Amino acid sequence: MGEELQVVIKNAVVVNAIIKKFYWQAITLILGIVVLCFPYPAIADWTHPLSFSNAELSRHNFAGESLQAAEFSNANLEMTNFVGADLRGAVLSASVMTQANLQGADLTNAMVDQVNLTGANLSDVVLKEALLLRAIFANVNIEGADFTDAILDKAQIKELCTKASGVNTKTGVKTRDSLGCQ
């Protein structure tokens, strides 16, 4: 009977080890399924874009601010200061930006269509791949502005080429070259 008891105990230990191994494999499998099926959103340093649509922001100071993908459509931005601001992907459609100062601002991929820029300072601005159709460029300073791949109509390009000069300090592109001036 002593030998039989030892065999039963040995078998119980083996069964117990198998159960523990199975238990941990099952737990690992369940956790893996939970992680794959219910992923948590990545926590990043990103906030929803700011919205200033239809806002009265004349003479506001946005100098040096990060305003990526901000919404300024139909806003009054007359005499607003955007010097050195990051406006990549911003939407400024149908806004009034007369006498605004955008010197050195980055408006890459921005929507600046139907915007009144009369008297604005666009010196050293980056407008790469920006949408600028029907924007008004009367009396603007575009010295050193980079319009590479911006969407403009022929009349706008002709008007801008009459005042185009300088080289953009960030991109190294000549304003006349970025507009395709003859």
Side-chain angles (χ1 to χ4, degrees), residues 56-146:
E56 171 56 55
L57 296 167
S58 59
R59 301 177 190 267
H60 193 82
N61 186 7
F62 289 107
E65 291 197 30
S66 178
L67 300 164
Q68 289 182 31
E71 171 78 43
F72 289 96
S73 59
N74 299 304
N76 183 3
L77 301 166
E78 187 174 16
M79 301 176 108
T80 299
N81 183 4
F82 286 105
V83 172
D86 184 355
L87 290 157
R88 290 176 291 165
V91 178
L92 299 153
S93 301
S95 292
V96 175
M97 298 185 77
T98 55
Q99 299 180 2
N101 189 354
L102 291 126
Q103 181 179 2
D106 189 347
L107 285 106
T108 300
N109 295 314
M111 294 181 68
V112 192
D113 56 310
Q114 304 176 57
V115 174
N116 184 350
L117 291 159
T118 300
N121 180 2
L122 302 177
S123 62
D124 212 34
V125 168
V126 178
L127 288 157
K128 292 170 74 172
E129 300 177 359
L131 176 63
L132 299 161
L133 293 174
R134 295 179 55 197
I136 300 170
F137 293 103
N139 302 316
V140 294
N141 175 3
I142 61 166
E143 183 178 343
D146 184 351

Side-chain angles (χ1 to χ4, degrees), residues 22 25 36 95 118 141 150 152:
F22 175 77
Q25 287 177 343
L36 291 175
S95 292
T118 300
N141 175 3
L152 296 149

